[in-house]
Amino acid sequence: MSTITTSPGSLYKQELLGGGGIASTNVLGVNTNGGVDGFCILANGVIEDATLTVGSASVTPASYVAPVTLTIGVYKNLYGSKSLVGNLNFVINNPNVSSNTSSSTFQTSVLNDVNISINQGDIIGCEFSGSTTSSGISQVQGLELTLFCYDGAAI
Amino acid sequence: MALLTPFVYRFNVSVAGVASYNPIPYSKACIDGSAPSGYPTVSLNTPVQSGGQDPVLVPFDGKITRMIFSTVRCSTAVAPPAGPNVTVKIDCYKVGSTLGANVMFGTVQFPVSLISSYNDSGSNQFQYSYVSGINLAVKAGDMLGFVFRPEIGTNTGISTIGGTNLTVEIQS
């Protein structure tokens, strides 16, 4: 979980989904497997951009229908409960689904202008919300989520 | 390492309620405030045995400037009074080159208040605590560790805390 930028006050955040002992995540699963520890926000700002990388996936090539949308829910801790503040809908693509159905890889998906407001003291956490359709993908694992957060108003 | 452009480096760690220098387990408790099954609590009033986290590598020369601390939940033996209830102290360490040679180079104090309080309850919440104006020098290559220091001998009414969260900012 780290941050490094050339612009004082901005924040770069990296988290893992489906890793850390969680071997795989059902692509249709909702908040049941795969998530990140919350992190405390230092200064008011916005989540501006986000990327998602899928380490590997189990795919049935004959059933694969692109594009596939994977959703990551962004939550704020409300001290005793949590509140969904936005969904990150990543479109993942694989131009050449592997014949090896357990090791297909996907291109990193990038979202810009997310513009989710965050405030000092917020505990932000993200959970895998899966896909609404099977699209021939049964399992994903090693998901890596990066949030680019900036102090101040949206840019 | 000389840098022409100021850099900001932020990272997030847990400092109590997790096994010392062990990976932090996945737990949704940290975001939804439910039972911290992945975060065993740590006592506020006994020598700490379980505070700490994996060390963090410093990428450039600079100084620690700001920190913010929060915790998912705490337990109280009695209903604490209003206002700042306890001062949470976080010791900052540089990891030495040999085992046991860690060097403490500063302590940051966080006055924290309870958001909600119930008698003898394990579901209370601290307000987050933000500290600016910190000036602790660090160098590229330092391995930093942050350890919760308990309130030994002090009856705060708060017995344990769990699911702590510390964000640290370093500026070049």
Side-chain angles (χ1 to χ4, degrees), chain A residues 38-88:
Chain A
F39 55 95
C40 195
I41 298 299
L42 191 76
N44 297 341
V46 293
I47 299 172
E48 185 72 13
D49 308 302
T51 67
L52 179 70
T53 301
V54 178
S56 65
S58 296
V59 181
T60 303
S63 303
Y64 178 65
V65 179
V68 178
T69 299
L70 296 181
T71 299
I72 304 294
V74 180
Y75 292 86
K76 284 185 182 180
N77 183 290
L78 295 180
Y79 296 99
S81 63
K82 64 181 179 181
S83 174
L84 180 68
V85 294
N87 282 314
L88 304 175

mmCIF file of all heavy atoms in Angstrom, chain A residues 38-88:
data_model
loop_
_atom_site.group_PDB
_atom_site.id
_atom_site.type_symbol
_atom_site.label_atom_id
_atom_site.label_comp_id
_atom_site.label_asym_id
_atom_site.label_seq_id
_atom_site.Cartn_x
_atom_site.Cartn_y
_atom_site.Cartn_z
ATOM 1 N N GLY A 38 -9.360 -1.503 4.485
ATOM 2 C CA GLY A 38 -9.606 -0.077 4.336
ATOM 3 C C GLY A 38 -8.350 0.731 4.592
ATOM 4 O O GLY A 38 -7.447 0.293 5.286
ATOM 5 N N PHE A 39 -8.280 1.912 3.991
ATOM 6 C CA PHE A 39 -7.156 2.798 4.270
ATOM 7 C C PHE A 39 -7.680 4.182 4.585
ATOM 8 O O PHE A 39 -8.674 4.631 4.043
ATOM 9 C CB PHE A 39 -6.152 2.826 3.105
ATOM 10 C CG PHE A 39 -6.738 3.193 1.775
ATOM 11 C CD1 PHE A 39 -6.707 4.508 1.319
ATOM 12 C CD2 PHE A 39 -7.305 2.230 0.961
ATOM 13 C CE1 PHE A 39 -7.233 4.850 0.089
ATOM 14 C CE2 PHE A 39 -7.846 2.561 -0.271
ATOM 15 C CZ PHE A 39 -7.812 3.874 -0.712
ATOM 16 N N CYS A 40 -6.994 4.846 5.510
ATOM 17 C CA CYS A 40 -7.457 6.125 6.038
ATOM 18 C C CYS A 40 -6.959 7.273 5.155
ATOM 19 O O CYS A 40 -5.781 7.341 4.811
ATOM 20 C CB CYS A 40 -6.958 6.293 7.472
ATOM 21 S SG CYS A 40 -7.790 7.595 8.379
ATOM 22 N N ILE A 41 -7.874 8.162 4.787
ATOM 23 C CA ILE A 41 -7.554 9.277 3.892
ATOM 24 C C ILE A 41 -6.958 10.437 4.681
ATOM 25 O O ILE A 41 -7.511 10.869 5.695
ATOM 26 C CB ILE A 41 -8.819 9.738 3.145
ATOM 27 C CG1 ILE A 41 -9.356 8.598 2.284
ATOM 28 C CG2 ILE A 41 -8.541 10.979 2.309
ATOM 29 C CD1 ILE A 41 -8.405 8.118 1.213
ATOM 30 N N LEU A 42 -5.827 10.941 4.204
ATOM 31 C CA LEU A 42 -5.090 11.985 4.923
ATOM 32 C C LEU A 42 -5.679 13.377 4.697
ATOM 33 O O LEU A 42 -5.647 14.232 5.575
ATOM 34 C CB LEU A 42 -3.621 11.975 4.480
ATOM 35 C CG LEU A 42 -2.667 12.819 5.308
ATOM 36 C CD1 LEU A 42 -2.343 12.126 6.626
ATOM 37 C CD2 LEU A 42 -1.381 13.091 4.544
ATOM 38 N N ALA A 43 -6.185 13.652 3.501
ATOM 39 C CA ALA A 43 -6.660 15.004 3.186
ATOM 40 C C ALA A 43 -7.866 14.914 2.257
ATOM 41 O O ALA A 43 -8.017 13.948 1.504
ATOM 42 C CB ALA A 43 -5.545 15.819 2.529
ATOM 43 N N ASN A 44 -8.716 15.928 2.291
ATOM 44 C CA ASN A 44 -9.878 15.964 1.407
ATOM 45 C C ASN A 44 -9.440 15.907 -0.050
ATOM 46 O O ASN A 44 -8.437 16.512 -0.438
ATOM 47 C CB ASN A 44 -10.685 17.248 1.633
ATOM 48 C CG ASN A 44 -11.265 17.339 3.033
ATOM 49 O OD1 ASN A 44 -11.374 16.326 3.726
ATOM 50 N ND2 ASN A 44 -11.628 18.530 3.445
ATOM 51 N N GLY A 45 -10.204 15.200 -0.864
ATOM 52 C CA GLY A 45 -9.834 15.116 -2.269
ATOM 53 C C GLY A 45 -10.810 14.270 -3.052
ATOM 54 O O GLY A 45 -11.984 14.139 -2.678
ATOM 55 N N VAL A 46 -10.325 13.686 -4.132
ATOM 56 C CA VAL A 46 -11.155 12.844 -4.985
ATOM 57 C C VAL A 46 -10.351 11.629 -5.446
ATOM 58 O O VAL A 46 -9.134 11.694 -5.593
ATOM 59 C CB VAL A 46 -11.664 13.591 -6.237
ATOM 60 C CG1 VAL A 46 -12.643 14.683 -5.866
ATOM 61 C CG2 VAL A 46 -10.503 14.149 -7.039
ATOM 62 N N ILE A 47 -11.082 10.532 -5.651
ATOM 63 C CA ILE A 47 -10.526 9.425 -6.411
ATOM 64 C C ILE A 47 -10.733 9.792 -7.872
ATOM 65 O O ILE A 47 -11.866 9.946 -8.327
ATOM 66 C CB ILE A 47 -11.228 8.096 -6.072
ATOM 67 C CG1 ILE A 47 -11.038 7.766 -4.584
ATOM 68 C CG2 ILE A 47 -10.690 6.958 -6.942
ATOM 69 C CD1 ILE A 47 -11.863 6.565 -4.120
ATOM 70 N N GLU A 48 -9.653 9.988 -8.586
ATOM 71 C CA GLU A 48 -9.757 10.542 -9.939
ATOM 72 C C GLU A 48 -9.675 9.447 -11.011
ATOM 73 O O GLU A 48 -10.460 9.435 -11.949
ATOM 74 C CB GLU A 48 -8.640 11.558 -10.157
ATOM 75 C CG GLU A 48 -8.700 12.308 -11.473
ATOM 76 C CD GLU A 48 -9.817 13.327 -11.524
ATOM 77 O OE1 GLU A 48 -10.394 13.623 -10.461
ATOM 78 O OE2 GLU A 48 -10.143 13.818 -12.625
ATOM 79 N N ASP A 49 -8.718 8.559 -10.883
ATOM 80 C CA ASP A 49 -8.500 7.519 -11.895
ATOM 81 C C ASP A 49 -8.316 6.172 -11.200
ATOM 82 O O ASP A 49 -7.993 6.107 -10.011
ATOM 83 C CB ASP A 49 -7.257 7.833 -12.742
ATOM 84 C CG ASP A 49 -7.300 9.243 -13.320
ATOM 85 O OD1 ASP A 49 -8.265 9.547 -14.030
ATOM 86 O OD2 ASP A 49 -6.380 10.015 -13.023
ATOM 87 N N ALA A 50 -8.497 5.112 -11.961
ATOM 88 C CA ALA A 50 -8.343 3.777 -11.387
ATOM 89 C C ALA A 50 -7.930 2.802 -12.483
ATOM 90 O O ALA A 50 -8.283 2.976 -13.653
ATOM 91 C CB ALA A 50 -9.646 3.321 -10.737
ATOM 92 N N THR A 51 -7.165 1.805 -12.079
ATOM 93 C CA THR A 51 -6.813 0.727 -13.013
ATOM 94 C C THR A 51 -7.067 -0.611 -12.343
ATOM 95 O O THR A 51 -6.990 -0.731 -11.115
ATOM 96 C CB THR A 51 -5.341 0.794 -13.453
ATOM 97 O OG1 THR A 51 -4.498 0.524 -12.332
ATOM 98 C CG2 THR A 51 -4.987 2.155 -14.035
ATOM 99 N N LEU A 52 -7.372 -1.604 -13.148
ATOM 100 C CA LEU A 52 -7.572 -2.956 -12.639
ATOM 101 C C LEU A 52 -6.826 -3.937 -13.531
ATOM 102 O O LEU A 52 -6.987 -3.920 -14.761
ATOM 103 C CB LEU A 52 -9.064 -3.327 -12.631
ATOM 104 C CG LEU A 52 -9.373 -4.747 -12.121
ATOM 105 C CD1 LEU A 52 -9.115 -4.845 -10.616
ATOM 106 C CD2 LEU A 52 -10.817 -5.144 -12.444
ATOM 107 N N THR A 53 -6.026 -4.771 -12.909
ATOM 108 C CA THR A 53 -5.318 -5.827 -13.624
ATOM 109 C C THR A 53 -5.774 -7.179 -13.089
ATOM 110 O O THR A 53 -5.832 -7.368 -11.873
ATOM 111 C CB THR A 53 -3.792 -5.687 -13.442
ATOM 112 O OG1 THR A 53 -3.384 -4.417 -13.941
ATOM 113 C CG2 THR A 53 -3.056 -6.787 -14.186
ATOM 114 N N VAL A 54 -6.099 -8.059 -13.986
ATOM 115 C CA VAL A 54 -6.492 -9.421 -13.605
ATOM 116 C C VAL A 54 -5.285 -10.322 -13.813
ATOM 117 O O VAL A 54 -4.785 -10.464 -14.935
ATOM 118 C CB VAL A 54 -7.678 -9.920 -14.456
ATOM 119 C CG1 VAL A 54 -8.045 -11.355 -14.089
ATOM 120 C CG2 VAL A 54 -8.881 -8.999 -14.261
ATOM 121 N N GLY A 55 -4.806 -10.894 -12.741
ATOM 122 C CA GLY A 55 -3.616 -11.730 -12.835
ATOM 123 C C GLY A 55 -3.819 -12.908 -13.763
ATOM 124 O O GLY A 55 -3.018 -13.170 -14.658
ATOM 125 N N SER A 56 -4.883 -13.636 -13.572
ATOM 126 C CA SER A 56 -5.221 -14.748 -14.454
ATOM 127 C C SER A 56 -6.690 -15.081 -14.270
ATOM 128 O O SER A 56 -7.326 -14.667 -13.295
ATOM 129 C CB SER A 56 -4.351 -15.976 -14.184
ATOM 130 O OG SER A 56 -4.612 -16.478 -12.889
ATOM 131 N N ALA A 57 -7.212 -15.824 -15.209
ATOM 132 C CA ALA A 57 -8.631 -16.162 -15.162
ATOM 133 C C ALA A 57 -8.846 -17.533 -15.781
ATOM 134 O O ALA A 57 -8.083 -17.986 -16.637
ATOM 135 C CB ALA A 57 -9.450 -15.123 -15.919
ATOM 136 N N SER A 58 -9.903 -18.177 -15.323
ATOM 137 C CA SER A 58 -10.332 -19.439 -15.929
ATOM 138 C C SER A 58 -11.431 -19.122 -16.938
ATOM 139 O O SER A 58 -12.462 -18.541 -16.589
ATOM 140 C CB SER A 58 -10.861 -20.394 -14.855
ATOM 141 O OG SER A 58 -9.830 -20.735 -13.957
ATOM 142 N N VAL A 59 -11.181 -19.498 -18.176
ATOM 143 C CA VAL A 59 -12.081 -19.109 -19.260
ATOM 144 C C VAL A 59 -12.423 -20.332 -20.102
ATOM 145 O O VAL A 59 -11.571 -21.188 -20.357
ATOM 146 C CB VAL A 59 -11.429 -18.044 -20.165
ATOM 147 C CG1 VAL A 59 -12.379 -17.625 -21.281
ATOM 148 C CG2 VAL A 59 -10.990 -16.847 -19.345
ATOM 149 N N THR A 60 -13.671 -20.393 -20.506
ATOM 150 C CA THR A 60 -14.078 -21.376 -21.506
ATOM 151 C C THR A 60 -14.093 -20.654 -22.850
ATOM 152 O O THR A 60 -14.992 -19.856 -23.121
ATOM 153 C CB THR A 60 -15.467 -21.934 -21.194
ATOM 154 O OG1 THR A 60 -15.453 -22.508 -19.893
ATOM 155 C CG2 THR A 60 -15.867 -22.984 -22.215
ATOM 156 N N PRO A 61 -13.064 -20.874 -23.668
ATOM 157 C CA PRO A 61 -12.919 -20.078 -24.895
ATOM 158 C C PRO A 61 -14.166 -20.093 -25.783
ATOM 159 O O PRO A 61 -14.538 -19.056 -26.347
ATOM 160 C CB PRO A 61 -11.722 -20.735 -25.593
ATOM 161 C CG PRO A 61 -10.924 -21.319 -24.476
ATOM 162 C CD PRO A 61 -11.932 -21.803 -23.475
ATOM 163 N N ALA A 62 -14.821 -21.225 -25.893
ATOM 164 C CA ALA A 62 -15.991 -21.309 -26.779
ATOM 165 C C ALA A 62 -17.138 -20.446 -26.279
ATOM 166 O O ALA A 62 -18.007 -20.031 -27.053
ATOM 167 C CB ALA A 62 -16.441 -22.761 -26.899
ATOM 168 N N SER A 63 -17.146 -20.179 -24.978
ATOM 169 C CA SER A 63 -18.223 -19.381 -24.389
ATOM 170 C C SER A 63 -17.842 -17.933 -24.177
ATOM 171 O O SER A 63 -18.665 -17.125 -23.749
ATOM 172 C CB SER A 63 -18.639 -19.998 -23.035
ATOM 173 O OG SER A 63 -19.023 -21.343 -23.192
ATOM 174 N N TYR A 64 -16.593 -17.599 -24.432
ATOM 175 C CA TYR A 64 -16.105 -16.256 -24.122
ATOM 176 C C TYR A 64 -16.742 -15.222 -25.035
ATOM 177 O O TYR A 64 -16.706 -15.342 -26.259
ATOM 178 C CB TYR A 64 -14.580 -16.204 -24.253
ATOM 179 C CG TYR A 64 -13.998 -14.833 -23.999
ATOM 180 C CD1 TYR A 64 -14.087 -14.243 -22.735
ATOM 181 C CD2 TYR A 64 -13.366 -14.123 -25.011
ATOM 182 C CE1 TYR A 64 -13.557 -12.991 -22.503
ATOM 183 C CE2 TYR A 64 -12.822 -12.875 -24.783
ATOM 184 C CZ TYR A 64 -12.930 -12.314 -23.525
ATOM 185 O OH TYR A 64 -12.408 -11.074 -23.292
ATOM 186 N N VAL A 65 -17.327 -14.221 -24.428
ATOM 187 C CA VAL A 65 -17.959 -13.136 -25.167
ATOM 188 C C VAL A 65 -17.394 -11.823 -24.626
ATOM 189 O O VAL A 65 -17.621 -11.471 -23.470
ATOM 190 C CB VAL A 65 -19.493 -13.144 -25.000
ATOM 191 C CG1 VAL A 65 -20.113 -11.985 -25.761
ATOM 192 C CG2 VAL A 65 -20.071 -14.474 -25.466
ATOM 193 N N ALA A 66 -16.659 -11.134 -25.449
ATOM 194 C CA ALA A 66 -16.088 -9.852 -25.045
ATOM 195 C C ALA A 66 -17.060 -8.726 -25.419
ATOM 196 O O ALA A 66 -17.813 -8.876 -26.381
ATOM 197 C CB ALA A 66 -14.744 -9.642 -25.739
ATOM 198 N N PRO A 67 -17.027 -7.588 -24.749
ATOM 199 C CA PRO A 67 -16.191 -7.305 -23.577
ATOM 200 C C PRO A 67 -16.856 -7.799 -22.298
ATOM 201 O O PRO A 67 -18.056 -8.055 -22.274
ATOM 202 C CB PRO A 67 -16.097 -5.789 -23.606
ATOM 203 C CG PRO A 67 -17.417 -5.357 -24.151
ATOM 204 C CD PRO A 67 -17.795 -6.397 -25.178
ATOM 205 N N VAL A 68 -16.044 -7.889 -21.258
ATOM 206 C CA VAL A 68 -16.538 -8.309 -19.947
ATOM 207 C C VAL A 68 -16.351 -7.147 -18.974
ATOM 208 O O VAL A 68 -15.285 -6.528 -18.933
ATOM 209 C CB VAL A 68 -15.765 -9.540 -19.440
ATOM 210 C CG1 VAL A 68 -16.252 -9.934 -18.048
ATOM 211 C CG2 VAL A 68 -15.920 -10.694 -20.411
ATOM 212 N N THR A 69 -17.386 -6.854 -18.231
ATOM 213 C CA THR A 69 -17.310 -5.773 -17.249
ATOM 214 C C THR A 69 -17.220 -6.359 -15.848
ATOM 215 O O THR A 69 -18.077 -7.153 -15.445
ATOM 216 C CB THR A 69 -18.533 -4.855 -17.338
ATOM 217 O OG1 THR A 69 -18.572 -4.261 -18.640
ATOM 218 C CG2 THR A 69 -18.466 -3.746 -16.285
ATOM 219 N N LEU A 70 -16.176 -5.977 -15.146
ATOM 220 C CA LEU A 70 -16.023 -6.352 -13.735
ATOM 221 C C LEU A 70 -16.215 -5.099 -12.895
ATOM 222 O O LEU A 70 -15.654 -4.041 -13.195
ATOM 223 C CB LEU A 70 -14.635 -6.942 -13.463
ATOM 224 C CG LEU A 70 -14.287 -8.261 -14.157
ATOM 225 C CD1 LEU A 70 -12.890 -8.716 -13.746
ATOM 226 C CD2 LEU A 70 -15.314 -9.333 -13.841
ATOM 227 N N THR A 71 -17.007 -5.224 -11.854
ATOM 228 C CA THR A 71 -17.322 -4.069 -11.019
ATOM 229 C C THR A 71 -16.631 -4.168 -9.666
ATOM 230 O O THR A 71 -16.650 -5.227 -9.025
ATOM 231 C CB THR A 71 -18.842 -3.949 -10.805
ATOM 232 O OG1 THR A 71 -19.466 -3.763 -12.083
ATOM 233 C CG2 THR A 71 -19.189 -2.770 -9.906
ATOM 234 N N ILE A 72 -16.019 -3.070 -9.259
ATOM 235 C CA ILE A 72 -15.432 -2.945 -7.934
ATOM 236 C C ILE A 72 -16.229 -1.889 -7.178
ATOM 237 O O ILE A 72 -16.354 -0.744 -7.632
ATOM 238 C CB ILE A 72 -13.954 -2.509 -8.001
ATOM 239 C CG1 ILE A 72 -13.136 -3.468 -8.873
ATOM 240 C CG2 ILE A 72 -13.361 -2.395 -6.590
ATOM 241 C CD1 ILE A 72 -13.009 -4.854 -8.325
ATOM 242 N N GLY A 73 -16.774 -2.268 -6.039
ATOM 243 C CA GLY A 73 -17.498 -1.309 -5.216
ATOM 244 C C GLY A 73 -16.551 -0.547 -4.314
ATOM 245 O O GLY A 73 -15.666 -1.128 -3.700
ATOM 246 N N VAL A 74 -16.735 0.766 -4.236
ATOM 247 C CA VAL A 74 -15.921 1.605 -3.359
ATOM 248 C C VAL A 74 -16.777 2.014 -2.165
ATOM 249 O O VAL A 74 -17.876 2.555 -2.338
ATOM 250 C CB VAL A 74 -15.412 2.861 -4.093
ATOM 251 C CG1 VAL A 74 -14.565 3.725 -3.162
ATOM 252 C CG2 VAL A 74 -14.610 2.457 -5.328
ATOM 253 N N TYR A 75 -16.264 1.744 -0.973
ATOM 254 C CA TYR A 75 -17.035 1.976 0.247
ATOM 255 C C TYR A 75 -16.323 2.964 1.165
ATOM 256 O O TYR A 75 -15.104 3.063 1.176
ATOM 257 C CB TYR A 75 -17.235 0.669 1.016
ATOM 258 C CG TYR A 75 -18.135 -0.320 0.318
ATOM 259 C CD1 TYR A 75 -17.616 -1.193 -0.635
ATOM 260 C CD2 TYR A 75 -19.488 -0.377 0.602
ATOM 261 C CE1 TYR A 75 -18.440 -2.103 -1.284
ATOM 262 C CE2 TYR A 75 -20.310 -1.277 -0.044
ATOM 263 C CZ TYR A 75 -19.783 -2.139 -0.983
ATOM 264 O OH TYR A 75 -20.598 -3.039 -1.625
ATOM 265 N N LYS A 76 -17.147 3.670 1.941
ATOM 266 C CA LYS A 76 -16.628 4.460 3.052
ATOM 267 C C LYS A 76 -17.111 3.831 4.347
ATOM 268 O O LYS A 76 -18.246 3.384 4.441
ATOM 269 C CB LYS A 76 -17.134 5.907 2.991
ATOM 270 C CG LYS A 76 -16.464 6.781 1.957
ATOM 271 C CD LYS A 76 -16.956 8.219 2.084
ATOM 272 C CE LYS A 76 -16.317 9.103 1.023
ATOM 273 N NZ LYS A 76 -16.792 10.518 1.137
ATOM 274 N N ASN A 77 -16.211 3.828 5.336
ATOM 275 C CA ASN A 77 -16.590 3.349 6.653
ATOM 276 C C ASN A 77 -17.382 4.435 7.364
ATOM 277 O O ASN A 77 -16.992 5.599 7.387
ATOM 278 C CB ASN A 77 -15.332 3.011 7.458
ATOM 279 C CG ASN A 77 -15.670 2.444 8.818
ATOM 280 O OD1 ASN A 77 -16.162 3.148 9.688
ATOM 281 N ND2 ASN A 77 -15.410 1.175 9.005
ATOM 282 N N LEU A 78 -18.505 4.036 7.934
ATOM 283 C CA LEU A 78 -19.349 4.973 8.680
ATOM 284 C C LEU A 78 -19.341 4.633 10.164
ATOM 285 O O LEU A 78 -20.289 4.894 10.868
ATOM 286 C CB LEU A 78 -20.775 4.963 8.132
ATOM 287 C CG LEU A 78 -20.923 5.465 6.699
ATOM 288 C CD1 LEU A 78 -22.373 5.397 6.265
ATOM 289 C CD2 LEU A 78 -20.421 6.884 6.580
ATOM 290 N N TYR A 79 -18.254 4.049 10.622
ATOM 291 C CA TYR A 79 -18.104 3.695 12.033
ATOM 292 C C TYR A 79 -19.253 2.814 12.487
ATOM 293 O O TYR A 79 -20.188 3.246 13.132
ATOM 294 C CB TYR A 79 -17.976 4.952 12.889
ATOM 295 C CG TYR A 79 -16.726 5.727 12.573
ATOM 296 C CD1 TYR A 79 -16.767 6.842 11.738
ATOM 297 C CD2 TYR A 79 -15.508 5.312 13.070
ATOM 298 C CE1 TYR A 79 -15.619 7.533 11.428
ATOM 299 C CE2 TYR A 79 -14.352 5.984 12.766
ATOM 300 C CZ TYR A 79 -14.404 7.101 11.943
ATOM 301 O OH TYR A 79 -13.275 7.773 11.631
ATOM 302 N N GLY A 80 -19.179 1.579 12.124
ATOM 303 C CA GLY A 80 -20.188 0.605 12.489
ATOM 304 C C GLY A 80 -20.958 0.105 11.287
ATOM 305 O O GLY A 80 -21.653 -0.889 11.359
ATOM 306 N N SER A 81 -20.858 0.791 10.193
ATOM 307 C CA SER A 81 -21.490 0.327 8.960
ATOM 308 C C SER A 81 -20.635 0.820 7.810
ATOM 309 O O SER A 81 -19.647 1.519 7.994
ATOM 310 C CB SER A 81 -22.914 0.873 8.839
ATOM 311 O OG SER A 81 -22.889 2.285 8.762
ATOM 312 N N LYS A 82 -21.008 0.473 6.618
ATOM 313 C CA LYS A 82 -20.275 0.959 5.459
ATOM 314 C C LYS A 82 -21.268 1.498 4.443
ATOM 315 O O LYS A 82 -22.429 1.093 4.420
ATOM 316 C CB LYS A 82 -19.418 -0.150 4.847
ATOM 317 C CG LYS A 82 -20.217 -1.313 4.288
ATOM 318 C CD LYS A 82 -19.295 -2.370 3.714
ATOM 319 C CE LYS A 82 -20.105 -3.542 3.177
ATOM 320 N NZ LYS A 82 -19.256 -4.609 2.637
ATOM 321 N N SER A 83 -20.801 2.392 3.593
ATOM 322 C CA SER A 83 -21.670 3.025 2.618
ATOM 323 C C SER A 83 -21.024 2.964 1.249
ATOM 324 O O SER A 83 -19.861 3.350 1.087
ATOM 325 C CB SER A 83 -21.913 4.493 3.014
ATOM 326 O OG SER A 83 -22.643 5.171 2.015
ATOM 327 N N LEU A 84 -21.775 2.455 0.280
ATOM 328 C CA LEU A 84 -21.272 2.420 -1.092
ATOM 329 C C LEU A 84 -21.258 3.837 -1.656
ATOM 330 O O LEU A 84 -22.280 4.515 -1.658
ATOM 331 C CB LEU A 84 -22.166 1.523 -1.956
ATOM 332 C CG LEU A 84 -21.772 1.387 -3.426
ATOM 333 C CD1 LEU A 84 -20.467 0.615 -3.575
ATOM 334 C CD2 LEU A 84 -22.888 0.685 -4.214
ATOM 335 N N VAL A 85 -20.109 4.290 -2.089
ATOM 336 C CA VAL A 85 -20.009 5.651 -2.622
ATOM 337 C C VAL A 85 -19.763 5.652 -4.127
ATOM 338 O O VAL A 85 -19.763 6.722 -4.753
ATOM 339 C CB VAL A 85 -18.906 6.456 -1.905
ATOM 340 C CG1 VAL A 85 -19.277 6.672 -0.448
ATOM 341 C CG2 VAL A 85 -17.559 5.769 -2.016
ATOM 342 N N GLY A 86 -19.559 4.510 -4.716
ATOM 343 C CA GLY A 86 -19.384 4.480 -6.165
ATOM 344 C C GLY A 86 -18.989 3.102 -6.644
ATOM 345 O O GLY A 86 -18.464 2.293 -5.876
ATOM 346 N N ASN A 87 -19.272 2.851 -7.900
ATOM 347 C CA ASN A 87 -18.857 1.589 -8.523
ATOM 348 C C ASN A 87 -17.852 1.878 -9.622
ATOM 349 O O ASN A 87 -18.010 2.844 -10.393
ATOM 350 C CB ASN A 87 -20.062 0.860 -9.120
ATOM 351 C CG ASN A 87 -20.881 0.153 -8.071
ATOM 352 O OD1 ASN A 87 -20.338 -0.534 -7.201
ATOM 353 N ND2 ASN A 87 -22.197 0.320 -8.120
ATOM 354 N N LEU A 88 -16.819 1.074 -9.661
ATOM 355 C CA LEU A 88 -15.836 1.177 -10.732
ATOM 356 C C LEU A 88 -16.113 0.036 -11.706
ATOM 357 O O LEU A 88 -15.934 -1.138 -11.367
ATOM 358 C CB LEU A 88 -14.421 1.074 -10.165
ATOM 359 C CG LEU A 88 -14.054 2.086 -9.076
ATOM 360 C CD1 LEU A 88 -12.656 1.790 -8.529
ATOM 361 C CD2 LEU A 88 -14.135 3.510 -9.607
#
